[in-house]
Amino acid sequence: MDIPTGLPPLPDSSAAAPAGDVLSAEAHGQLAAGDEAAWHAFITAYEGRMYGYLYRLEGNSEDALDLTQEVFYRAWRSIQTFRPGERVLPWLYQVARNTQIESHRRKQLQRFSLEEAREDVGFEVPSAARTPVQAAESEQAQDRVQRALMRLPEEYREAVVLRFVEDLPYEEIARIQGVATGTAKSRVFRAKEQLADLLSDVNDLH
């Protein structure tokens, strides 16, 4: 069975996930059986979110589109491992993250040298820094935010995108990144501080 691969050139990354974001046993059975209509509906519901997430990480629409297609191919191959009744997005984010990492390995790209985040941050760190990822509304500001995001270490960039663009709680970010919840909080905090410095002259950020 061939899953649909005709993704639009620029999916709407702001598209909302289905209500509740939970895959029923019936829907899971249809996907596991290779029902084309079910897969088309599934991809249509989630492709925008996956594209937006991967574009923020890659900074390149062509690479993001290629990776988005691969994400759904991998989801199709591994749908039997998904447990009905659980949320879909955290699972898809994990698939997308693994897809991106393996893609970089295949291309033998140099990985970032990352500072080890502190493990003992067990609370929300207050910060006067602005949240650039949320605030940029104009196209020009969005472009500047994207360029600034690409200057962050990969783990910081992913953490702040998951928190402020994809609106995930810290516990799910930690699970996706394979770290302690405190580490996820620390990465988001440090990413916010670095982005605020990089974008300090953008007036419409707050």
Side-chain angles (χ1 to χ4, degrees), residues 20-25 28 42 46 81-91 172 175:
D21 184 36
V22 173
L23 195 64
S24 68
H28 179 265
F42 182 83
Y46 291 102
T81 68
F82 183 86
R83 290 185 291 184
E86 293 194 349
R87 291 188 58 209
V88 174
L89 274 172
W91 178 67
E172 288 187 358
R175 185 171 65 175

Side-chain angles (χ1 to χ4, degrees), residues 30-118:
Q30 292 172 338
L31 294 173
D35 185 285
E36 265 193 72
W39 273 106
H40 179 76
F42 182 83
I43 293 171
T44 299
Y46 291 102
E47 64 183 358
R49 294 294 292 267
M50 292 301 101
Y51 169 81
Y53 168 65
L54 290 163
Y55 176 77
R56 290 291 187 180
L57 297 184
E58 292 290 311
N60 178 289
S61 60
E62 184 176 348
D63 289 345
L65 282 168
D66 288 344
L67 288 171
T68 300
Q69 292 195 15
E70 188 172 347
V71 165
F72 286 104
Y73 173 73
R74 288 174 178 235
W76 171 65
R77 291 288 302 271
S78 60
I79 191 64
Q80 298 281 4
T81 68
F82 183 86
R83 290 185 291 184
E86 293 194 349
R87 291 188 58 209
V88 174
L89 274 172
W91 178 67
L92 279 179
Y93 284 129
Q94 187 67 64
V95 174
R97 182 173 191 262
N98 291 340
T99 300
Q100 192 225 16
I101 290 173
E102 290 179 23
S103 172
H104 280 220
R105 285 175 180 164
R106 288 196 302 268
K107 294 177 182 178
Q108 296 182 334
L109 295 180
Q110 184 177 5
R111 302 301 299 271
F112 286 98
S113 176
L114 300 171
E115 176 186 359
E116 190 70 31
R118 289 172 55 189

Side-chain angles (χ1 to χ4, degrees), residues 127-185:
S127 172
R130 298 167 295 182
T131 308
V133 182
Q134 284 183 312
E137 296 176 350
S138 70
E139 183 175 348
Q140 182 179 12
Q142 288 178 14
D143 289 342
R144 296 191 63 188
V145 170
Q146 182 60 43
R147 289 196 298 270
L149 278 170
M150 298 309 296
R151 294 176 63 182
L152 297 181
E154 187 172 354
E155 270 83 350
Y156 288 12
R157 180 167 73 248
E158 180 183 48
V160 79
V161 167
L162 287 171
R163 178 61 183 154
F164 294 113
V165 177
E166 304 302 334
D167 199 29
L168 292 189
Y170 288 111
E171 292 76 14
E172 288 187 358
I173 297 170
R175 185 171 65 175
I176 289 169
Q177 292 197 318
V179 297
T181 301
T183 298
K185 292 180 179 181

